Amino acid sequence: RDDYMVYFENSKYPVVIDKPVIYLYPEKEISVHLEVKPKGKMTFMYPAYNNGWDFEAMPDGTLLFGESAYNYLFWESEQFQQLSAEEAHTGYLVKKNEVISFLEEKLTIAGLTSKEQADFITYWGPRLQQNEQSFIHFLFNEECDRFAHLDIQPKPDHTYRIYIVWNEVTDQHKSIIHEQTIPHFERDGFTVLEWGGSEYNSFHTEQLKH
């Protein structure tokens, strides 16, 4: 006689969509209404959000809410997400001591400014460096609709979205990883940039073993 135990688990695990920030660069000062429609529970927004953000956007990226000025808009959300099998094998394996140079290289290819890169790297760099090695996958533009839809009025000429999703891996995780192609951000006209990301859980790491 053998005894067996069966566990049923959801294949999608809750993840926090961390620090998506939105930069706006109009050609001239304009009034903007922007709504974020996440695919999960919104947990934090800044500045204050009341059925959207209403503000004045300046060509240098400054966002004016009355007398208060901000460099970007901030939101976070808890969602149920997962990578597809193809996505889990497309990206990069990055060692701890290569994190900063890796991010600088890829974000430069993407076309982020030095300020935008500094904001991105000072947030994600320390977290990635906690791992000896990380699997990193980027999601771009329409792929980021899985996290949230952005409704921006007036409509920008270009909206560029880049999300980093990652997880710790070890030497035991043997896999063929296909390198991603990084699309470049065009900055002519009224342009909007959003970056964010999430640390995925062990389920997604398991995919790397196959």
Side-chain angles (χ1 to χ4, degrees):
R1 175 178 175 177
D2 293 321
D3 293 326
Y4 297 90
M5 298 185 69
V6 178
Y7 296 91
F8 294 92
E9 295 184 354
N10 194 328
S11 63
K12 293 185 178 181
Y13 288 77
V15 295
V16 175
I17 309 305
D18 287 327
K19 199 181 178 167
V21 296
I22 305 169
Y23 306 84
L24 297 96
Y25 303 100
E27 293 184 293
K28 60 182 180 180
E29 180 180 352
I30 59 172
S31 298
V32 178
H33 177 78
L34 193 154
E35 295 182 26
V36 178
K37 300 177 181 179
K39 301 298 177 67
K41 178 184 177 182
M42 190 72 79
T43 56
F44 188 77
M45 309 189 82
Y46 189 78
Y49 187 91
N50 183 20
N51 296 319
W53 284 296
D54 292 284
F55 55 93
E56 299 296 314
M58 311 297 287
D60 66 354
T62 302
L63 311 178
L64 297 176
F65 288 75
E67 299 298 320
S68 300
Y70 302 87
N71 293 322
Y72 50 70
L73 308 173
F74 177 101
W75 65 275
E76 282 189 342
S77 173
E78 184 178 273
Q79 305 184 9
F80 288 84
Q81 295 285 349
Q82 68 181 70
L83 293 180
S84 68
E86 180 180 357
E87 290 169 339
H89 290 85
T90 306
Y92 308 89
L93 293 177
V94 182
K95 295 180 180 178
K96 177 179 181 178
N97 61 352
E98 298 173 347
V99 164
I100 302 304
S101 60
F102 166 82
L103 292 176
E104 289 175 340
E105 176 189 0
K106 301 309 178 187
L107 297 179
T108 297
I109 293 172
L112 272 66
T113 66
S114 57
K115 178 186 180 302
E116 293 160 355
Q117 290 190 37
D119 291 343
F120 189 107
I121 292 171
T122 52
Y123 185 78
W124 293 110
R127 297 182 62 178
L128 287 164
Q129 286 186 330
Q130 293 177 15
N131 300 332
E132 291 301 318
Q133 187 178 44
S134 297
F135 168 72
I136 294 175
H137 178 86
F138 291 105
L139 296 165
F140 300 100
N141 301 325
E142 293 82 2
E143 295 175 328
C144 300
D145 287 340
R146 70 176 66 181
F147 304 119
H149 174 72
L150 301 181
D151 184 3
I152 306 171
Q153 299 296 331
K155 185 177 179 180
D157 295 300
H158 299 283
T159 300
Y160 188 92
R161 307 176 75 187
I162 175 172
Y163 278 56
I164 182 173
V165 293
W166 57 278
N167 204 343
E168 181 179 11
V169 296
T170 68
D171 290 337
Q172 286 77 33
H173 298 136
K174 304 297 183 181
S175 178
I176 298 175
I177 302 298
H178 302 284
E179 187 170 314
Q180 286 186 273
T181 299
I182 307 294
H184 185 74
F185 179 27
E186 299 295 337
R187 289 183 176 268
D188 55 302
F190 175 22
T191 60
V192 173
L193 167 69
E194 180 193 43
W195 62 256
S198 184
E199 178 183 8
Y200 277 31
N201 53 45
S202 59
F203 170 80
H204 306 90
T205 304
E206 290 297 314
Q207 295 185 14
L208 298 176
K209 295 180 180 180
H210 302 302

